[in-house]
Amino acid sequence: EIELTQSPGTLSLSPGERATLSCRASQSVDNNYLAWYQQTPGQAPRLLIYGASNRATGIPDRFSGSGSGTDFTLTISRLEPEDFAVYYCQQAGSLLKTFGQGTKVEIK
Amino acid sequence: QVHVVQSGAEVKKPGASLKVSCNASGYTFTDYGFSWVRQAPGQGLEWMGWISIFYGDTNYARKFQGRVTLTRDTSTGTVNMELRSLRSDDTAVYYCARESPLAGYPFEYWGQGTPVTVSS
């Protein structure tokens, strides 16, 4: 199974600042089938980015994804109050899908 | 409009079996597969397995292989997850998630989650 390692574990930022989240895979993710999800307390995850760089329906353009192979990045250009949450990457390049352990974006 | 609704909370004793159901509507049920994902208290997301609704094929995470079974009932639009030989560390919220016809078939629609407590 492909292992995904997210960094940092926690990111402390202020509204309006830029957030950069990293996701590194233990082996290359086929077809760059890497997705990002946002989860707020008590809620199911919400799809943000798929195929490494494509925004899902209704996702604001301040969210962007990049990367390929084993290194992927989620960028939030200017943090809004509702963006403080936990973010997970997930790979679907192999039959056995896996999630990263998550990055918490908290208010500084 | 797609709706994914899961069965209610469960309390189980160690060694027992668990069955959680997920009912989907608002689209052609056989068009998309489902995955099951769980989240232990204060922890991250953990992928458990996937089922093709059309063919019934399954893939399971190695951690759950032999202990989990996914099934579907195309007549009722229901996907089921059975987990056997429950332990206290199976205490978690269990989610079903429908894939979408996008690159990598990401999980676009999620159930509301089913809290499961395993305790003697």
Side-chain angles (χ1 to χ4, degrees), chain A residues 38-91:
Chain A
Q38 176 194 66
Q39 189 179 35
T40 53
Q43 300 296 313
R46 176 173 74 142
L47 176 66
L48 299 175
I49 300 287
Y50 64 92
S53 60
N54 304 286
R55 272 188 301 276
T57 302
I59 301 304
D61 60 7
R62 64 180 181 274
F63 290 92
S64 63
S66 62
S68 64
T70 60
D71 288 295
F72 300 89
T73 300
L74 174 69
T75 302
I76 311 171
S77 58
R78 292 196 311 173
L79 284 164
E80 297 288 340
E82 61 268 28
D83 298 337
F84 292 92
V86 181
Y87 293 83
Y88 295 94
C89 57
Q90 174 250 324
Q91 66 79 24

Side-chain angles (χ1 to χ4, degrees), chain A residues 1 5 25 27 31 33 50 52 65 67 76 88 106:
Chain A
E1 295 177 357
T5 302
Q27 62 191 79
N31 302 303
Y33 282 169
Y50 64 92
I76 311 171
Y88 295 94
E106 65 176 21

Side-chain angles (χ1 to χ4, degrees), chain B residues 7-60:
Chain B
S7 52
E10 301 265 11
V11 178
K12 295 289 185 180
K13 293 194 182 301
S17 293
L18 168 72
K19 185 174 182 179
V20 180
S21 298
C22 169
N23 181 261
S25 60
Y27 68 99
T28 303
F29 183 62
T30 51
D31 279 355
Y32 306 105
F34 271 82
S35 279
W36 286 83
V37 177
R38 77 178 187 180
Q39 186 169 38
Q43 302 301 308
L45 302 173
E46 183 173 34
W47 182 80
M48 300 179 67
W50 167 86
I51 182 167
S52 162
I53 301 302
F54 189 86
Y55 295 106
D57 294 353
T58 54
N59 291 314
Y60 301 121

